[in-house]
Amino acid sequence: MEYDFDNYLAEIPENSLKYDAIKATDSSDIYKFLSMGVADMSFKPPIDVLNALENEMNRGFLGYYGGIESYRKEVVNWLEKKHNWKPKPQWINTAHGLVAAIGTVLRAFTNQNDGIIIFSPVYHQFRNIIKANNRELIESEMIKENGTYYLDLDNLENKIKGNEKVVILCSPHNPSGRLWSEHELKDIAYFCKKHDLILIIDEIHNDLVNPENKHITFPKIGENFYENYILMTSTTKTFNIAGGLMGNVIIPNNSLRDKFKKANFATGETPNRFGMILGEVAMRSGHKWLDDLLKYLKKNKDIFDKEIKSIKCLSSMRIDSTYLAWVDFSKTGESENTNYKKLINHAKIISKRGSIFGLGGYNHFRFNLATSTNLVKESTERLRSVFK
Ligand SMILES: Cc1ncc(COP(=O)(O)O)c(C=O)c1O
């Protein structure tokens, strides 16, 4: 490996969500905490990305961004190379992050109190942005079978009331790392077609897949299957540049795209200069970093998995993608609140508690494993000593 991730760690600065999470513990010994809640990595981005930022600083130009065509070209190349799908450059719109983009889509295509469907437990900001836009949150709880989540479309079918307008699918799935099969993606497409729903597919974790696994990007199921989809991708998770707040909203359908563009324009969106530059450089020259990273993450996940398996009252889901571990604490016999307190006060580990991910999330905790292997090991030792 070219990148030695054990020694390629960024400092946690005071103006970061990770630091805020540590401060929120109100503890006096903040240096003892492992901050494994927020989903950004402990690693520096590829060296070319850091150099590009330095270059910008040296030139001293911090003005508005322009020249988006070269960025779009890199997105097309990236998706073709990594996901075997080649969008047209003009299908690609930019956004100030994908959560913001979801909000824009909701306002563009739905009205207040329209129903928005999500498959819970799922990335907590889906619920937040739906509620903040005064849409009706419709949670379709997934079925957990042999430690794997499955969509329950039959049950959802029975609950359809008629006000549903949009479905949001997280693919790969946060928090479980589940990769959806072609069959499952087709089932969702059929479902959306039947009920005339717009499908948002959030593929922000699309590149963070174990070397032996495969993510299927939604458009690969075939164009005639379903046209009314909005695909969201980004380089920010892949290359740990989430502070660059940018993302891609890819819409092949012309009328859908026009409508989104108008709504995006209405937000005053213009591309974030730094995010765009960092993203473009990363896609052009971050391949080696990403290959090495995926191997390193796999090692961390295997270690975490093995250690958690040996703690009787905890069970961790198999992690096929992402760098997030989703651990079920229900066999501890304690409430989520008590377990959360134990994690903070005794294990000194910050995680994300499951209930914020919606139905089915209660008493699970999500741990970010994108940190040094030593700290991952340390986290399992602390979990063992508190929850053995
Ligand atoms: C599924 C998913 N979508 C979106 C985001 C955040 O996207 P952004 O920072 O572009 O708003 C995250 C971050 O964890 C995520 O997991």
Side-chain angles (χ1 to χ4, degrees):
M1 291 218 294
E2 189 177 297
Y3 278 94
D4 167 16
F5 285 100
D6 286 332
N7 296 303
Y8 199 63
L9 299 159
E11 274 173 37
I12 299 181
E14 290 191 5
N15 50 358
S16 63
L17 277 186
K18 271 202 170 108
Y19 193 82
D20 284 354
I22 297 174
K23 262 196 328 201
T25 61
D26 273 338
S27 171
S28 53
D29 46 4
I30 58 172
Y31 294 105
K32 289 201 178 133
F33 276 96
L34 302 179
S35 195
M36 301 174 89
V38 180
D40 50 29
M41 302 191 245
S42 301
F43 313 116
K44 293 179 192 169
I47 191 73
D48 287 338
V49 171
L50 295 175
N51 289 340
L53 195 55
E54 203 178 340
N55 242 346
E56 291 301 310
M57 295 307 153
N58 291 339
R59 283 156 139 190
F61 181 84
L62 307 188
Y64 290 113
Y65 177 73
I68 194 168
E69 286 321 316
S70 68
Y71 170 83
R72 282 203 174 114
K73 196 171 129 223
E74 288 306 332
V75 175
V76 172
N77 288 344
W78 183 265
L79 291 175
E80 188 181 18
K81 189 154 194 252
K82 293 280 178 193
H83 301 285
N84 193 23
W85 180 64
K86 191 173 181 187
K88 296 217 167 85
Q90 66 269 27
W91 294 350
I92 304 167
N93 306 277
T94 58
H96 284 172
L98 295 191
V99 176
I102 293 172
T104 305
V105 169
L106 296 186
R107 290 187 298 278
F109 295 97
T110 71
N111 295 311
Q112 295 218 351
N113 302 320
D114 280 347
I116 316 296
I117 299 168
I118 59 173
F119 300 98
S120 300
V122 73
Y123 176 52
H124 55 292
Q125 291 285 39
F126 289 174
R127 317 156 53 77
N128 295 342
I129 198 84
I130 292 167
K131 286 185 174 171
N133 280 284
N134 298 318
R135 270 55 175 173
E136 187 192 349
L137 173 70
I138 300 174
E139 291 189 74
S140 171
E141 186 176 349
M142 291 189 288
I143 298 167
K144 196 171 166 189
E145 237 174 60
N146 298 326
T148 303
Y149 281 127
Y150 294 91
L151 303 175
D152 192 356
L153 294 180
D154 289 340
N155 189 30
L156 182 59
E157 179 80 48
N158 293 331
K159 288 205 298 199
I160 290 285
K161 293 188 296 190
N163 71 331
E164 300 81 2
K165 293 282 159 35
V166 168
V167 172
I168 309 178
L169 179 72
C170 191
S171 173
H173 180 249
N174 169 8
S176 76
R178 175 79 152 79
L179 293 163
W180 306 113
S181 68
E182 186 179 341
H183 187 70
E184 287 168 312
L185 294 175
K186 283 183 176 168
D187 282 349
I188 294 233
Y190 279 128
F191 185 87
C192 291
K193 197 171 211 164
K194 179 171 176 195
H195 296 287
D196 196 18
L197 302 165
I198 291 172
L199 175 60
I200 299 176
I201 312 121
D202 179 337
E203 296 195 5
I204 200 168
H205 296 278
N206 60 359
D207 298 311
L208 296 168
V209 176
N210 293 358
E212 72 278 15
N213 293 122
K214 182 136 186 59
H215 160 76
I216 301 171
T217 189
F218 182 81
K220 286 301 287 178
I221 68 167
E223 253 146 55
N224 22 3
F225 254 93
Y226 198 64
E227 261 223 316
N228 280 353
Y229 69 86
I230 295 176
L231 177 68
M232 299 196 178
T233 69
S234 183
T235 46
T236 53
K237 285 281 162 204
T238 307
F239 293 107
N240 204 26
I241 49 176
L245 266 190
M246 39 83 83
N248 309 312
V249 182
I250 308 176
I251 314 179
N253 177 291
N254 291 337
S255 67
L256 230 55
R257 189 170 65 250
D258 284 348
K259 213 164 171 187
F260 174 80
K261 273 187 163 168
K262 278 195 192 125
N264 209 23
F265 184 73
T267 69
E269 202 272 350
T270 53
N272 169 351
R273 175 175 192 81
F274 297 102
M276 301 297 282
I277 290 172
L278 302 185
E280 183 175 335
V281 173
M283 286 183 282
R284 200 179 305 123
S285 47
H287 294 265
K288 179 70 185 141
W289 181 92
L290 181 58
D291 287 348
D292 289 352
L293 174 84
L294 294 178
K295 287 181 207 144
Y296 191 86
L297 291 179
K298 175 72 171 106
K299 185 176 63 166
N300 282 1
K301 292 188 243 186
D302 285 346
I303 290 169
F304 188 85
D305 203 41
K306 182 167 167 262
E307 294 301 323
I308 296 300
K309 270 203 179 91
S310 67
I311 305 171
K312 260 199 180 148
C313 61
L314 305 185
S315 67
S316 182
M317 243 180 203
R318 197 185 70 219
I319 320 168
D320 290 337
S321 69
T322 78
Y323 44 74
L324 306 165
W326 183 237
V327 183
D328 186 349
F329 278 60
S330 50
K331 287 205 193 107
T332 56
E334 304 279 9
S335 68
E336 179 180 286
N337 228 5
T338 305
N339 284 327
Y340 188 66
K341 283 189 189 138
K342 281 186 172 181
L343 282 166
I344 297 283
N345 298 331
H346 303 305
K348 306 266 181 234
I349 296 178
I350 295 163
S351 61
K352 282 258 186 260
R353 56 159 84 206
S355 52
I356 65 165
F357 294 83
L359 293 178
Y362 179 79
N363 227 346
H364 290 66
F365 290 85
R366 195 192 73 179
F367 299 89
N368 176 347
L369 306 183
T371 188
S372 76
T373 303
N374 276 343
L375 289 186
V376 170
K377 285 182 185 158
E378 166 80 22
S379 72
T380 60
E381 276 155 31
R382 292 187 192 188
L383 288 171
R384 185 188 311 288
S385 79
V386 177
F387 294 98
K388 64 176 177 285

